[in-house]
Every structure is written in structure tokens, then in C-alpha cells.
Amino acid sequence: MALKTAPDILSSLNSDNFKSVARALTIVENDLRGADELLKNLRFINPTSIIGITGPPGAGKSTLVNALIGELIVQDNKVAVLAIDPTSPFNFGSLLGDRIRMSAYFNNPKVYIRSLATRGSLGGLSAKTIEMTDVLRAAGFDYIFVETVGVGQSEVEIAGLADITLVVLVPESGDEIQNIKSGLMEIADAFIVNKADRDGADTFANNLKKLTDRVPVFKSVASQAEGVAAIIDFITSATNKRYPRKEMLLADKAYKLIQQKRMADVDKKKLQHAIAEALDDPEFNLYKFLERYY
């Protein structure tokens, strides 16, 4: 069977054809032949809302995404999810647990779910996340959720990709509210106090409202789909608005893509081998060693 060319793949790329979506994502994720041509010829016709979901581990991000999906597909929307999984710093492997976390919708014809490793990006996002999100946009999905690894302050990267960023917290975060760094606070278009049936939820939500000025704060019990309708109303009302920070965030997105292209000839395994050999010198100096790469 002949390999499909980029035009062939693009002609069949559609949210109704999950095989075409999976094929295009695989080509882009793995930098296979035709990836650049495919990306350069993507067309964005359908208005798609990209929703970033971030927050600390254990906040119930995946459960919330599940609940939001349920509401959106009832309204006949096509939804895609990129679930960012933690990558091992040693072998760049990933848990890729989408089938476990979102099994309720894995076979739903209106929902496409894909896991993606962070590939060593501290903020949970890599250039591949950006490219794969754009493939999903071109496929014509109505909503794309990007659920990131919950690692705290460095999650500000999500704001460079998403149209709407939801920061998910739990009532227990109230004891650590002063430790929620300003960067994470500033990227939120809305805060979700999930697991709001726990003690202290009302107090935490009220304190959060005082700290965040005009950023809306919602309470939810995602496992029971409680409070989800209000979040959906916020998402749909915010869709397609022109955000004042859009130009700055798009520049950040472009910077990350340029960075990836310029680093393409640096093989990390070869770099590790070269460092291993250089370490035999007791006077090894990392900065002098790096001159050969500048």
C-alpha cells in the first residue's frame, strides 16, 4: 500500500473521521515524512475553542474534563482531548493513561482522546502539544481540552496555547493559598474549586474571590457533575472573544516552535554520551563544553 501524502491526509482530515485524525497526529508527533508540509497546509475553518485545564495533582482535572465532555456532547458538539502525561526524565516514557482516566467516552463517536508525553518540558507542554492541537483545530472539533500535568508554577505555559485556561483547585488548597504563586494566579480565566462537598469549600472559594479580583470562581463536584453547567456557560460565553493578551501569547507559541526547529540537530542521547566521555576529565567545565553547540 502506498504511503499517503500530506494532501491526501489533509483531504480526509475531519472530526468525523478519527482514523484520519489519528494518522495526522502520529505523523506530526513523530516528525514523520510529510509532517512539515502537513502543518503548513492546515486550514482553520471551524471556530474552535481551546480550553486549558491545569492545577495541582489530585484536584480532579480528568474527572472535571469527563463531566464537561458529557455536557458538551449533549449539545451535539465534537470534543477532542489532549491529555498530557508525565514523562520520565531518563527514558522519556509516559504513562499515557487516557483509556483509564476517560474510559467513559473513549468509544464515543463525538469524542476523540489522545495522550501525549511532556517530552521533558517543565511546564507540561512541548512544541508537539502546540502542533497537535492545531491538527485537531483543523479537523474541525468544536472544543479541544488540553489537560496538563499538575506541577504548579511552571504550568503558566498553558496560557500560551489555550483560549480559556481553567485552574482547578480543591478546598484543602486553602491552607496553602499564600503559596499559590502569582504566575499561576495570573493565567486563570476562571478558578474551579472542585470536590466542593468537602469541608472548607465555601471559605476557600470566598478567599479566592477576594484574591483574584474579577476572575470568576466556580465550585464543582465533578464526580457528580455538580456545578458543571455553570462552567459550560462560562466557556461558551467566552468562546471567540478577542483577548488582549492574544498577541503576546501567540509570540510565545511561535518562540517555542522556533526553538524546537533550531534544536532539531541536537541529539540528547549523543549529548549524554559526549558528556559521559568529557566527565573523565577532572577539570570538566560544563560551560566550556557547551561552546561546541553555540
Side-chain angles (χ1 to χ4, degrees), residues 53-54 82-87 116-130 146-158 161 256:
I53 306 284
T54 189
L82 271 184
I84 313 299
D85 279 297
T87 306
L116 175 67
T118 58
R119 295 171 177 258
S121 176
L122 293 178
L125 296 181
S126 68
K128 289 300 166 193
T129 310
I130 297 171
V146 180
E147 181 199 334
T148 71
V149 179
V151 294
Q153 172 70 6
S154 57
E155 287 291 61
V156 296
E157 285 188 7
I158 188 63
L161 173 66
K256 184 173 286 293

Side-chain angles (χ1 to χ4, degrees), residues 15 35 42 111 120 122 124 197 212 279 286:
S15 60
L42 291 176
V111 182
L122 293 178
D197 51 346
T212 57
L279 282 173
L286 177 62

Side-chain angles (χ1 to χ4, degrees), residues 82-99:
L82 271 184
I84 313 299
D85 279 297
T87 306
S88 164
F90 301 105
N91 61 15
F92 287 88
S94 173
L95 296 177
L96 302 181
D98 52 6
R99 291 171 177 79

Side-chain angles (χ1 to χ4, degrees), residues 124-193:
L125 296 181
S126 68
K128 289 300 166 193
T129 310
I130 297 171
E131 294 171 352
M132 293 171 74
T133 301
D134 280 338
V135 169
L136 293 171
R137 283 178 59 210
F141 287 94
D142 299 298
Y143 293 90
I144 301 170
F145 288 97
V146 180
E147 181 199 334
T148 71
V149 179
V151 294
Q153 172 70 6
S154 57
E155 287 291 61
V156 296
E157 285 188 7
I158 188 63
L161 173 66
D163 298 310
I164 302 167
T165 301
L166 305 180
V167 176
V168 185
L169 302 169
V170 289
E172 290 79 5
S173 302
D175 296 333
E176 303 173 1
I177 190 67
Q178 298 304 324
N179 294 325
I180 299 177
K181 304 296 185 180
S182 60
L184 186 59
M185 302 292 279
E186 289 169 1
I187 68 167
D189 294 298
F191 285 94
I192 315 297
V193 179

Side-chain angles (χ1 to χ4, degrees), residues 175-284:
D175 296 333
E176 303 173 1
I177 190 67
Q178 298 304 324
N179 294 325
I180 299 177
K181 304 296 185 180
S182 60
L184 186 59
M185 302 292 279
E186 289 169 1
I187 68 167
D189 294 298
F191 285 94
I192 315 297
V193 179
N194 193 30
K195 305 182 182 181
D197 51 346
R198 294 182 177 179
D199 291 341
D202 290 341
T203 300
F204 176 53
N206 289 333
N207 289 339
L208 203 52
K209 289 176 183 177
K210 294 174 184 176
L211 284 172
T212 57
D213 195 15
R214 290 182 292 273
V215 178
V217 177
F218 298 96
K219 292 186 296 182
S220 69
V221 183
S223 60
Q224 306 298 322
E226 294 178 12
V228 172
I231 301 171
I232 291 291
D233 288 343
F234 171 76
I235 289 172
T236 54
S237 66
T239 298
N240 298 327
K241 285 186 177 179
R242 176 81 175 189
Y243 293 94
R245 62 186 182 183
K246 190 70 176 179
E247 292 82 2
M248 178 188 70
L249 298 179
L250 192 59
D252 288 341
K253 178 177 176 178
Y255 181 87
K256 184 173 286 293
L257 292 171
I258 293 169
Q259 185 181 48
Q260 175 191 249
K261 294 298 182 185
R262 291 191 175 182
M263 287 290 291
D265 61 339
V266 179
D267 186 307
K268 191 166 184 178
K269 288 184 178 179
K270 289 182 179 178
L271 178 63
Q272 182 178 343
H273 181 70
I275 286 179
E277 290 182 341
L279 282 173
D280 289 336
D281 183 349
E283 297 185 6
F284 170 73

